[in-house]
Amino acid sequence: MAGGDHVVRGYFGLGDEEHVVRVTSSADFVLHIWAANIDTFPGGVEVLTPPSQFRGAGAQGPQDGLTLDVPAQTSMHLGCLGAQGGETLDLSSAFNARVVVFLTVTTAEGATVTMIGE
């Protein structure tokens, strides 16, 4: 990322306060996801992205989706996803579990990052 990195963090309670968190940046970005399932049953984080540039024959629908499991009453790093500037990544609770997410966006210096919980 030319000109240095810009780091923005967010902390949201999926399934409690927010039903979905929408993350976007004015420049290309990488979203790192750490999550804690505070329920006594399995849950996780569901991520919806715009369609990938390369999709297999089995991919359907207007968006790509990925469910990342987090065992009951544990926390873990779920990895990271990249997105182009202007794209939106939507995160929601999987299996109706209460999941706290700590999000870190790395993008170009000067980019505008938005994280909105709804």
Side-chain angles (χ1 to χ4, degrees), residues 36-55:
N37 179 355
I38 59 176
D39 269 321
T40 58
F41 56 88
V45 177
E46 182 176 87
V47 180
L48 293 177
T49 72
S52 300
Q53 292 172 308
F54 303 100
R55 295 179 87 184

PDB file of all heavy atoms in Angstrom, residues 36-55:
ATOM      1  N   ALA A  36     -15.384 -13.782  19.460  1.00  0.00           N
ATOM      2  CA  ALA A  36     -15.614 -14.545  20.683  1.00  0.00           C
ATOM      3  C   ALA A  36     -17.086 -14.915  20.743  1.00  0.00           C
ATOM      4  O   ALA A  36     -17.952 -14.042  20.692  1.00  0.00           O
ATOM      5  CB  ALA A  36     -15.231 -13.733  21.911  1.00  0.00           C
ATOM      6  N   ASN A  37     -17.369 -16.211  20.807  1.00  0.00           N
ATOM      7  CA  ASN A  37     -18.735 -16.706  20.954  1.00  0.00           C
ATOM      8  C   ASN A  37     -19.032 -16.750  22.446  1.00  0.00           C
ATOM      9  O   ASN A  37     -18.462 -17.563  23.173  1.00  0.00           O
ATOM     10  CB  ASN A  37     -18.869 -18.092  20.328  1.00  0.00           C
ATOM     11  CG  ASN A  37     -20.256 -18.666  20.469  1.00  0.00           C
ATOM     12  OD1 ASN A  37     -21.133 -18.095  21.113  1.00  0.00           O
ATOM     13  ND2 ASN A  37     -20.475 -19.817  19.855  1.00  0.00           N
ATOM     14  N   ILE A  38     -19.930 -15.890  22.917  1.00  0.00           N
ATOM     15  CA  ILE A  38     -20.212 -15.825  24.351  1.00  0.00           C
ATOM     16  C   ILE A  38     -21.388 -16.712  24.755  1.00  0.00           C
ATOM     17  O   ILE A  38     -21.738 -16.766  25.930  1.00  0.00           O
ATOM     18  CB  ILE A  38     -20.435 -14.369  24.817  1.00  0.00           C
ATOM     19  CG1 ILE A  38     -21.592 -13.725  24.073  1.00  0.00           C
ATOM     20  CG2 ILE A  38     -19.159 -13.571  24.629  1.00  0.00           C
ATOM     21  CD1 ILE A  38     -21.916 -12.324  24.567  1.00  0.00           C
ATOM     22  N   ASP A  39     -21.984 -17.406  23.791  1.00  0.00           N
ATOM     23  CA  ASP A  39     -23.083 -18.319  24.091  1.00  0.00           C
ATOM     24  C   ASP A  39     -22.574 -19.702  24.485  1.00  0.00           C
ATOM     25  O   ASP A  39     -21.396 -20.010  24.321  1.00  0.00           O
ATOM     26  CB  ASP A  39     -24.037 -18.436  22.895  1.00  0.00           C
ATOM     27  CG  ASP A  39     -25.165 -17.408  22.974  1.00  0.00           C
ATOM     28  OD1 ASP A  39     -25.670 -17.167  24.090  1.00  0.00           O
ATOM     29  OD2 ASP A  39     -25.525 -16.847  21.933  1.00  0.00           O
ATOM     30  N   THR A  40     -23.480 -20.529  24.975  1.00  0.00           N
ATOM     31  CA  THR A  40     -23.135 -21.894  25.390  1.00  0.00           C
ATOM     32  C   THR A  40     -23.391 -22.904  24.283  1.00  0.00           C
ATOM     33  O   THR A  40     -23.360 -24.105  24.520  1.00  0.00           O
ATOM     34  CB  THR A  40     -23.937 -22.296  26.640  1.00  0.00           C
ATOM     35  OG1 THR A  40     -25.336 -22.179  26.343  1.00  0.00           O
ATOM     36  CG2 THR A  40     -23.571 -21.414  27.822  1.00  0.00           C
ATOM     37  N   PHE A  41     -23.661 -22.433  23.080  1.00  0.00           N
ATOM     38  CA  PHE A  41     -23.857 -23.308  21.930  1.00  0.00           C
ATOM     39  C   PHE A  41     -23.012 -22.796  20.764  1.00  0.00           C
ATOM     40  O   PHE A  41     -22.601 -21.637  20.762  1.00  0.00           O
ATOM     41  CB  PHE A  41     -25.344 -23.412  21.555  1.00  0.00           C
ATOM     42  CG  PHE A  41     -26.009 -22.079  21.278  1.00  0.00           C
ATOM     43  CD1 PHE A  41     -25.986 -21.520  20.010  1.00  0.00           C
ATOM     44  CD2 PHE A  41     -26.659 -21.395  22.296  1.00  0.00           C
ATOM     45  CE1 PHE A  41     -26.596 -20.300  19.759  1.00  0.00           C
ATOM     46  CE2 PHE A  41     -27.277 -20.183  22.055  1.00  0.00           C
ATOM     47  CZ  PHE A  41     -27.244 -19.627  20.787  1.00  0.00           C
ATOM     48  N   PRO A  42     -22.744 -23.658  19.777  1.00  0.00           N
ATOM     49  CA  PRO A  42     -21.899 -23.251  18.643  1.00  0.00           C
ATOM     50  C   PRO A  42     -22.479 -22.053  17.890  1.00  0.00           C
ATOM     51  O   PRO A  42     -23.693 -21.870  17.843  1.00  0.00           O
ATOM     52  CB  PRO A  42     -21.877 -24.485  17.749  1.00  0.00           C
ATOM     53  CG  PRO A  42     -22.211 -25.616  18.657  1.00  0.00           C
ATOM     54  CD  PRO A  42     -23.153 -25.056  19.683  1.00  0.00           C
ATOM     55  N   GLY A  43     -21.615 -21.266  17.347  1.00  0.00           N
ATOM     56  CA  GLY A  43     -22.020 -20.102  16.565  1.00  0.00           C
ATOM     57  C   GLY A  43     -20.900 -19.704  15.647  1.00  0.00           C
ATOM     58  O   GLY A  43     -20.072 -20.523  15.265  1.00  0.00           O
ATOM     59  N   GLY A  44     -20.853 -18.446  15.327  1.00  0.00           N
ATOM     60  CA  GLY A  44     -19.792 -17.973  14.465  1.00  0.00           C
ATOM     61  C   GLY A  44     -20.160 -16.685  13.776  1.00  0.00           C
ATOM     62  O   GLY A  44     -21.064 -15.969  14.202  1.00  0.00           O
ATOM     63  N   VAL A  45     -19.448 -16.414  12.697  1.00  0.00           N
ATOM     64  CA  VAL A  45     -19.626 -15.183  11.944  1.00  0.00           C
ATOM     65  C   VAL A  45     -19.898 -15.547  10.490  1.00  0.00           C
ATOM     66  O   VAL A  45     -19.174 -16.358   9.902  1.00  0.00           O
ATOM     67  CB  VAL A  45     -18.369 -14.286  12.035  1.00  0.00           C
ATOM     68  CG1 VAL A  45     -18.524 -13.037  11.186  1.00  0.00           C
ATOM     69  CG2 VAL A  45     -18.085 -13.928  13.484  1.00  0.00           C
ATOM     70  N   GLU A  46     -20.928 -14.943   9.926  1.00  0.00           N
ATOM     71  CA  GLU A  46     -21.217 -15.111   8.505  1.00  0.00           C
ATOM     72  C   GLU A  46     -20.750 -13.850   7.789  1.00  0.00           C
ATOM     73  O   GLU A  46     -21.056 -12.739   8.229  1.00  0.00           O
ATOM     74  CB  GLU A  46     -22.708 -15.318   8.276  1.00  0.00           C
ATOM     75  CG  GLU A  46     -23.039 -15.550   6.813  1.00  0.00           C
ATOM     76  CD  GLU A  46     -24.499 -15.854   6.599  1.00  0.00           C
ATOM     77  OE1 GLU A  46     -25.272 -14.898   6.457  1.00  0.00           O
ATOM     78  OE2 GLU A  46     -24.850 -17.040   6.590  1.00  0.00           O
ATOM     79  N   VAL A  47     -19.998 -14.026   6.712  1.00  0.00           N
ATOM     80  CA  VAL A  47     -19.469 -12.905   5.944  1.00  0.00           C
ATOM     81  C   VAL A  47     -20.044 -12.971   4.535  1.00  0.00           C
ATOM     82  O   VAL A  47     -19.965 -14.011   3.878  1.00  0.00           O
ATOM     83  CB  VAL A  47     -17.920 -12.944   5.865  1.00  0.00           C
ATOM     84  CG1 VAL A  47     -17.395 -11.769   5.070  1.00  0.00           C
ATOM     85  CG2 VAL A  47     -17.306 -12.989   7.251  1.00  0.00           C
ATOM     86  N   LEU A  48     -20.634 -11.862   4.086  1.00  0.00           N
ATOM     87  CA  LEU A  48     -21.114 -11.741   2.712  1.00  0.00           C
ATOM     88  C   LEU A  48     -20.262 -10.712   1.998  1.00  0.00           C
ATOM     89  O   LEU A  48     -19.991  -9.637   2.547  1.00  0.00           O
ATOM     90  CB  LEU A  48     -22.581 -11.308   2.671  1.00  0.00           C
ATOM     91  CG  LEU A  48     -23.590 -12.307   3.209  1.00  0.00           C
ATOM     92  CD1 LEU A  48     -24.994 -11.708   3.160  1.00  0.00           C
ATOM     93  CD2 LEU A  48     -23.542 -13.606   2.430  1.00  0.00           C
ATOM     94  N   THR A  49     -19.823 -11.052   0.786  1.00  0.00           N
ATOM     95  CA  THR A  49     -18.987 -10.159  -0.010  1.00  0.00           C
ATOM     96  C   THR A  49     -19.600 -10.015  -1.398  1.00  0.00           C
ATOM     97  O   THR A  49     -20.408 -10.851  -1.818  1.00  0.00           O
ATOM     98  CB  THR A  49     -17.555 -10.716  -0.165  1.00  0.00           C
ATOM     99  OG1 THR A  49     -17.585 -11.827  -1.055  1.00  0.00           O
ATOM    100  CG2 THR A  49     -16.955 -11.115   1.174  1.00  0.00           C
ATOM    101  N   PRO A  50     -19.205  -8.987  -2.138  1.00  0.00           N
ATOM    102  CA  PRO A  50     -19.592  -8.943  -3.552  1.00  0.00           C
ATOM    103  C   PRO A  50     -19.042 -10.178  -4.260  1.00  0.00           C
ATOM    104  O   PRO A  50     -18.120 -10.826  -3.744  1.00  0.00           O
ATOM    105  CB  PRO A  50     -18.910  -7.679  -4.069  1.00  0.00           C
ATOM    106  CG  PRO A  50     -18.684  -6.837  -2.853  1.00  0.00           C
ATOM    107  CD  PRO A  50     -18.432  -7.818  -1.736  1.00  0.00           C
ATOM    108  N   PRO A  51     -19.593 -10.536  -5.419  1.00  0.00           N
ATOM    109  CA  PRO A  51     -19.104 -11.720  -6.130  1.00  0.00           C
ATOM    110  C   PRO A  51     -17.601 -11.657  -6.389  1.00  0.00           C
ATOM    111  O   PRO A  51     -17.069 -10.613  -6.744  1.00  0.00           O
ATOM    112  CB  PRO A  51     -19.868 -11.695  -7.452  1.00  0.00           C
ATOM    113  CG  PRO A  51     -21.068 -10.870  -7.188  1.00  0.00           C
ATOM    114  CD  PRO A  51     -20.665  -9.859  -6.151  1.00  0.00           C
ATOM    115  N   SER A  52     -16.937 -12.768  -6.178  1.00  0.00           N
ATOM    116  CA  SER A  52     -15.500 -12.857  -6.413  1.00  0.00           C
ATOM    117  C   SER A  52     -15.194 -12.770  -7.901  1.00  0.00           C
ATOM    118  O   SER A  52     -16.023 -13.106  -8.739  1.00  0.00           O
ATOM    119  CB  SER A  52     -14.962 -14.186  -5.864  1.00  0.00           C
ATOM    120  OG  SER A  52     -15.204 -14.292  -4.488  1.00  0.00           O
ATOM    121  N   GLN A  53     -13.982 -12.336  -8.209  1.00  0.00           N
ATOM    122  CA  GLN A  53     -13.566 -12.252  -9.607  1.00  0.00           C
ATOM    123  C   GLN A  53     -13.489 -13.637 -10.234  1.00  0.00           C
ATOM    124  O   GLN A  53     -13.736 -13.806 -11.420  1.00  0.00           O
ATOM    125  CB  GLN A  53     -12.216 -11.553  -9.711  1.00  0.00           C
ATOM    126  CG  GLN A  53     -12.273 -10.090  -9.351  1.00  0.00           C
ATOM    127  CD  GLN A  53     -10.890  -9.487  -9.292  1.00  0.00           C
ATOM    128  OE1 GLN A  53      -9.993 -10.012  -8.620  1.00  0.00           O
ATOM    129  NE2 GLN A  53     -10.703  -8.386  -9.971  1.00  0.00           N
ATOM    130  N   PHE A  54     -13.138 -14.625  -9.448  1.00  0.00           N
ATOM    131  CA  PHE A  54     -13.022 -15.996  -9.925  1.00  0.00           C
ATOM    132  C   PHE A  54     -14.003 -16.835  -9.123  1.00  0.00           C
ATOM    133  O   PHE A  54     -13.837 -16.992  -7.910  1.00  0.00           O
ATOM    134  CB  PHE A  54     -11.596 -16.521  -9.754  1.00  0.00           C
ATOM    135  CG  PHE A  54     -10.581 -15.666 -10.447  1.00  0.00           C
ATOM    136  CD1 PHE A  54      -9.832 -14.734  -9.736  1.00  0.00           C
ATOM    137  CD2 PHE A  54     -10.386 -15.763 -11.818  1.00  0.00           C
ATOM    138  CE1 PHE A  54      -8.905 -13.932 -10.369  1.00  0.00           C
ATOM    139  CE2 PHE A  54      -9.461 -14.965 -12.462  1.00  0.00           C
ATOM    140  CZ  PHE A  54      -8.711 -14.046 -11.737  1.00  0.00           C
ATOM    141  N   ARG A  55     -15.035 -17.350  -9.782  1.00  0.00           N
ATOM    142  CA  ARG A  55     -16.054 -18.147  -9.097  1.00  0.00           C
ATOM    143  C   ARG A  55     -16.151 -19.506  -9.775  1.00  0.00           C
ATOM    144  O   ARG A  55     -16.180 -19.600 -10.995  1.00  0.00           O
ATOM    145  CB  ARG A  55     -17.416 -17.461  -9.176  1.00  0.00           C
ATOM    146  CG  ARG A  55     -17.466 -16.150  -8.430  1.00  0.00           C
ATOM    147  CD  ARG A  55     -18.810 -15.510  -8.549  1.00  0.00           C
ATOM    148  NE  ARG A  55     -19.692 -16.022  -7.499  1.00  0.00           N
ATOM    149  CZ  ARG A  55     -20.959 -15.704  -7.388  1.00  0.00           C
ATOM    150  NH1 ARG A  55     -21.527 -14.916  -8.272  1.00  0.00           N
ATOM    151  NH2 ARG A  55     -21.675 -16.190  -6.407  1.00  0.00           N
TER     152      ARG A  55
END
